[in-house]
Amino acid sequence: QVPLVESGGGSVQAGGSLRLSCATSGQTWRDRCMGWFRQVPGKEREGVGGIWSGGGDPFYADSVKGRFTISQDIGKNTVYLQMNSLKLEDSAVYYCAGEYSSRYDCASGSRSHDSTWYTYWGQGAQVTVSS
């Protein structure tokens, strides 16, 4: 098991910012694609973006491009999701996910946008954006 522990989230007004963290407790951080997803009740889990643990540019869904930023601190085995200019429609439970992966498979998006590809999941963090 590779536990992923999320923190952050909460409530914010539209236009505000929040940051989520996802830590891999006690595990070596390598060769792993780390994705962020979100889900609202009654809808499928939606990909937000991700990053490969070995470095390189993060990738994003069009719905969050320019507003969300994914980064990582390899020394802390932690990946972050910085969410700016939040909109009402960003309200959801946000999940981080991890899967052992090549850089290509992570960055190409052919698999990394698919939630069913990931084996390891965080517990989820509620993000609520109000007007």
Side-chain angles (χ1 to χ4, degrees), residues 38 46-50 58-70 81-87 90 94 107 113:
R38 63 188 182 185
E46 174 192 16
V48 173
F59 53 90
Y60 302 95
D62 288 342
S63 57
V64 306
K65 232 174 245 184
R67 300 188 298 120
F68 289 12
T69 302
I70 295 172
L81 177 65
Q82 176 67 43
M83 302 179 288
N84 298 329
S85 301
L86 281 161
K87 303 176 181 180
D90 293 321
Y94 283 72
H113 290 296

Side-chain angles (χ1 to χ4, degrees), residues 15-78:
S17 299
L18 285 172
R19 189 177 82 158
L20 302 179
S21 301
C22 176
T24 304
S25 177
Q27 299 292 325
T28 301
W29 189 266
R30 63 179 183 184
D31 299 334
R32 197 173 302 161
C33 189
M34 298 301 298
W36 284 98
F37 291 82
R38 63 188 182 185
Q39 190 169 24
V40 297
K43 291 190 175 182
E44 291 187 357
R45 199 162 287 189
E46 174 192 16
V48 173
I51 191 168
W52 190 61
S53 63
D57 294 332
F59 53 90
Y60 302 95
D62 288 342
S63 57
V64 306
K65 232 174 245 184
R67 300 188 298 120
F68 289 12
T69 302
I70 295 172
S71 61
Q72 61 182 338
D73 185 330
I74 296 175
K76 294 183 178 179
N77 287 0
T78 301

Side-chain angles (χ1 to χ4, degrees), residues 66-121:
R67 300 188 298 120
F68 289 12
T69 302
I70 295 172
S71 61
Q72 61 182 338
D73 185 330
I74 296 175
K76 294 183 178 179
N77 287 0
T78 301
V79 65
Y80 303 96
L81 177 65
Q82 176 67 43
M83 302 179 288
N84 298 329
S85 301
L86 281 161
K87 303 176 181 180
L88 297 179
E89 54 264 40
D90 293 321
S91 295
V93 177
Y94 283 72
Y95 298 90
C96 66
E99 181 59 58
Y100 289 104
S101 163
S102 67
R103 177 174 182 169
Y104 176 81
D105 279 344
C106 188
S108 68
S110 59
R111 294 184 175 186
S112 53
H113 290 296
D114 183 356
S115 64
T116 64
W117 179 60
Y118 292 85
T119 302
Y120 309 103
W121 288 87

